Amino acid sequence: MYKIYFEGFWNNFDIENNFFTKLLKKYYNISINSKNYDVVIVSCFNKKKIDLKKNVRKIFYTGENINYKKDYDFNFTFKPNSVKNIRLPLWVINYKNNPNFDYHVQYEKNSFCCFVASNNIKYRNDFCNLLSKKYKKVDCGGKCLNNINRIVEDKITFQRKYKFCIVFENYSSPGYVTEKILDSYRSWCVPIYWGAKNIKIDFNPKTFINVHDFNNLHDLIDYIIKVD
């Protein structure tokens, strides 16, 4: 019996039933033990100082743009595979937690483009505004640039009536791919993607518009107009 525990994860993280416990239970007999654990899996979402027991195996996980912990026994991050790290981008966990796609459902696409984000990132805000100004209005349903008079509660359902979806990561870093592009696929939108320049190692480049393939935003918008 392996006794494990989790520290530093997001507020609604289910300690008993999550990506790691589901995976481990396929191969090992495990239990969750907060007092007497053999292995602790630590993430980066809790800002308080975590007091870890000595003489236990420490594993670090992050789906964010954060480097792995060299002093830990092992890491799961978006960085390339190495002796102490396995690449596990956030979109993989998102897919494993929600594996069902409506592959055989066709949605009526009556609207042009959507954008759902909470954080203000200048580069993607500038693109969204430029696309709206140069061609057609982009409907923004998140807290960022909101122009629909409400904050959408169900992102996937909201996006399904749109042809395109702006899918810009918070940062551009090799291998750093979050759930954003996957959410666009779930909505049957064409993703307009910016972020990891090596995004093609994860997703078929014929299924999305890659901002990195264009010299500037004006060339990108000209291509979007052509596709539309």
Side-chain angles (χ1 to χ4, degrees):
M1 172 76 73
Y2 289 94
K3 292 168 287 187
I4 68 171
Y5 196 60
F6 297 89
E7 289 281 9
F9 280 76
W10 46 90
N11 291 334
N12 62 345
F13 180 76
D14 188 340
I15 290 179
E16 296 284 345
N17 188 31
N18 57 71
F19 173 84
F20 296 101
T21 56
K22 290 176 183 177
L23 182 63
L24 288 169
K25 285 176 181 178
K26 290 183 178 181
Y27 306 99
Y28 303 101
N29 187 11
I30 67 168
S31 67
I32 307 299
N33 191 315
S34 63
K35 303 296 183 183
N36 187 29
Y37 48 82
D38 307 302
V39 177
V40 59
I41 302 176
V42 182
S43 195
C44 59
F45 294 93
N46 196 325
K47 300 301 181 183
K48 72 177 183 180
K49 181 175 175 57
I50 300 173
D51 185 21
L52 301 177
K53 288 171 51 179
K54 295 181 179 179
N55 301 320
V56 299
R57 299 248 179 192
K58 296 187 289 295
I59 296 172
F60 179 68
Y61 163 74
T62 180
E64 301 302 315
N65 189 24
I66 299 172
N67 287 327
Y68 58 81
K69 305 282 189 182
K70 294 181 179 179
D71 57 334
Y72 276 43
D73 295 283
F74 205 73
N75 295 262
F76 292 101
T77 73
F78 68 92
K79 296 290 187 180
N81 293 345
S82 64
V83 174
K84 276 199 170 186
N85 183 74
I86 284 181
R87 181 170 181 259
L88 183 64
L90 186 58
W91 74 262
V92 174
I93 289 183
N94 180 278
Y95 173 74
K96 291 296 184 181
N97 288 336
N98 302 279
N100 296 320
F101 276 71
D102 293 330
Y103 287 112
H104 305 294
V105 177
Q106 294 291 336
Y107 293 97
E108 192 72 27
K109 298 292 184 179
N110 297 318
S111 300
F112 168 56
C113 184
C114 61
F115 174 52
V116 181
S118 297
N119 299 323
N120 279 290
I121 305 296
K122 186 178 186 304
Y123 186 75
R124 66 186 181 196
N125 287 4
D126 289 347
F127 169 69
C128 182
N129 289 327
L130 184 63
L131 181 58
S132 295
K133 181 179 179 181
K134 187 173 180 180
Y135 185 47
K136 293 179 182 177
K137 177 189 173 186
V138 176
D139 289 342
C140 303
K143 295 178 181 178
C144 179
L145 301 181
N146 188 278
N147 60 5
I148 64 168
N149 298 319
R150 64 185 177 89
I151 304 297
V152 300
E153 296 182 1
D154 187 333
K155 179 181 178 183
I156 305 301
T157 300
F158 169 74
Q159 292 181 162
R160 279 178 177 157
K161 67 180 181 179
Y162 295 91
K163 298 177 184 178
F164 302 91
C165 181
I166 295 176
V167 181
F168 280 36
E169 306 285 8
N170 292 355
Y171 311 93
S172 178
S173 185
Y176 175 61
V177 184
T178 67
E179 80 290 347
K180 295 179 178 65
I181 190 170
L182 197 68
D183 287 345
S184 183
Y185 286 134
R186 289 186 191 281
S187 310
W188 284 72
C189 298
V190 176
I192 304 170
Y193 180 83
W194 177 87
K197 291 185 178 181
N198 60 344
I199 180 67
K200 296 176 184 179
I201 67 173
D202 287 348
F203 297 100
N204 183 348
K206 294 181 180 180
T207 65
F208 63 93
I209 297 173
N210 191 348
V211 178
H212 298 289
D213 290 341
F214 298 87
N215 293 323
N216 54 62
L217 294 182
H218 293 282
D219 289 349
L220 168 64
I221 291 174
D222 287 343
Y223 180 74
I224 293 169
I225 293 171
K226 180 181 177 180
V227 175
D228 185 36

